[in-house]
Amino acid sequence: TLSPATDPAHESFRMPVQVAIRPQGAARSPEHVEYRGYAGQLASGSVRVGDEVVVLPSGLRSTVAGIDLGDRSLDVAVAPQSVTIRLADDVDVSRGDLIAAASDPVALRQEVTALACWLGDEPLRPGARLLVKHGARTVLAMVRSIDGRLDPDALRLAPADELGLNDIGRVTVRFAAPLPVEEYSTSRRGGAFLLIDPDDGRTLAAAMADAVAPGEHPHHSSTP
């Protein structure tokens, strides 16, 4: 039910922070000593100088004081540009935070239900403790349940208590810290996350939050 391509510029503004830039004593010139910016790639939407934004998960609000692209200053940035954003207020922002439009913020979620494609050699079972990578943030997580496995012949979910290599199934995952996960049908970027092996960093699954499996009702997988 999804189009093969989407234009992220038409979605609400979201930018995962890759790095906080504050050179201080390492500044290349005196005017940059007090520079404070937050660099990343716009996952969706656009942002303009003067826009009100919210930093998640803290919920702190500020306005965009400047947008830098290399040595140039921009009035507006559009996804998928990579830029540095300066805020009007001295708020605490670090790698893994999300800067989003204050007019359309993302709800923080402690638990999501998702369709996951399992890539691990060992089966995924309830109770597995993994890492979740969403945007630029990685947190501990636990698989609470396996809620079904896609039967490729019948094109429907069948009951299952584990997922094997290359299986696609519905899983419920609980995060150790709230994450701004959106519905995959609303945002492919905000609704996608990875399950990672905490011991060696291998990617074990690609997951789509609230995605609908063949034959399911569109609201079957919604999480309150």
Side-chain angles (χ1 to χ4, degrees):
T1 59
L2 294 174
S3 62
T6 59
D7 183 358
H10 296 313
E11 300 173 14
S12 296
F13 166 63
R14 312 279 188 256
M15 192 190 85
V17 176
Q18 291 286 345
V19 61
I21 301 174
R22 192 166 185 206
Q24 296 179 302
R28 62 183 180 180
S29 58
E31 61 266 28
H32 289 96
V33 171
E34 297 302 323
Y35 186 92
R36 183 193 292 262
Y38 311 103
Q41 182 183 43
L42 271 69
S44 60
S46 61
V47 64
R48 185 178 299 273
V49 174
D51 283 356
E52 185 181 10
V53 295
V54 59
V55 179
L56 298 170
S58 69
L60 297 173
R61 295 190 173 220
S62 185
T63 56
V64 177
I67 303 171
D68 299 323
L69 178 60
D71 293 330
R72 294 188 294 133
S73 294
L74 305 178
D75 292 326
V76 61
V78 181
Q81 281 184 302
S82 295
V83 298
T84 300
I85 290 178
R86 290 178 281 116
L87 300 179
D89 303 289
D90 185 10
V91 297
D92 184 16
V93 184
S94 58
R95 173 179 168 80
D97 288 350
L98 181 74
I99 301 178
S103 59
D104 185 23
V106 189
L108 295 174
R109 301 170 68 178
Q110 193 89 39
E111 184 174 296
V112 300
T113 301
L115 284 182
C117 179
W118 184 248
L119 309 173
D121 295 326
E122 298 297 324
L124 175 67
R125 297 186 176 93
R129 296 183 182 275
L130 306 169
L131 295 175
V132 163
K133 187 178 190 305
H134 177 260
R137 193 172 185 199
T138 302
V139 302
L140 290 169
M142 182 184 74
V143 176
R144 290 198 62 185
S145 63
I146 307 294
D147 306 315
R149 178 173 56 212
L150 185 64
D151 183 334
D153 296 319
L155 286 181
R156 62 178 178 81
L157 286 179
D161 54 12
E162 67 177 32
L163 296 182
L165 178 63
N166 293 331
D167 278 345
I168 297 174
R170 181 169 303 292
V171 299
T172 299
V173 183
R174 185 165 184 81
F175 311 132
L179 292 175
V181 180
E182 301 183 76
E183 291 189 6
Y184 188 77
S185 60
T186 300
S187 172
R188 293 190 182 187
R189 297 146 197 88
F193 60 90
L194 299 177
L195 298 178
I196 297 173
D197 190 313
D199 295 324
D200 58 21
R202 288 180 301 132
T203 297
L204 297 177
M208 301 166 286
D210 305 315
V212 179
E216 281 191 307
H217 188 278
H219 300 294
H220 173 86
S221 62
S222 296
T223 302

